[in-house]
Amino acid sequence: MTDPEPAFRDRVLALVARIPAGRVVTYGQLATLAGQPGAARQAGFVLNSLVGGSELPWQRVINAQGRVSTHKLGFGDLQEGLLRAEGIEFDSSGRCDLARWQWWPEDSAQGQATPPTPLL
């Protein structure tokens, strides 16, 4: 895969910086918000460069099934642990409920930005 264009990379990183603690976005959603629908893999490529060396909350980006996709890369347990520490819950199959945890920026076309569900 070729490196994503610098403008796309910058938009992805700016969006990742905005994801609040205790919320997630999907790779496809991130690509769409960054102006390139269908570029989920390229968004993942950008995020892969952040792991372990960035203050950006890379762990808040998951796949469209509500699962962590980084197990095959060797740091899925780390990502899940970071998300659990933020209050995100996963079921026994490793899936989080996107209807509950997914974040949309208020300025997105979806306009579905909602506060996180309080933990009891």
Side-chain angles (χ1 to χ4, degrees), residues 40-66:
R41 287 185 187 265
Q42 289 84 351
F45 185 81
V46 170
L47 292 176
N48 190 44
S49 69
L50 299 180
V51 177
S54 175
E55 296 294 319
L56 291 176
W58 60 269
Q59 73 275 9
R60 297 179 187 151
V61 184
I62 61 175
N63 70 29
Q65 290 76 44

Side-chain angles (χ1 to χ4, degrees), residues 15 18 29 32-33 103-113:
L15 285 161
R18 294 176 57 197
Q29 174 190 0
T32 298
L33 290 169
W103 173 77
W104 288 94
E106 290 179 19
D107 56 353
S108 72
Q110 286 76 11
Q112 299 175 9

Side-chain angles (χ1 to χ4, degrees), residues 80-102:
E80 275 190 26
L82 291 168
L83 290 171
R84 287 180 195 277
E86 293 182 8
I88 294 178
E89 300 168 355
F90 292 88
D91 66 18
S92 60
S93 71
R95 182 181 298 203
C96 78
D97 180 4
L98 288 175
R100 179 176 181 190
W101 303 109
Q102 190 171 24

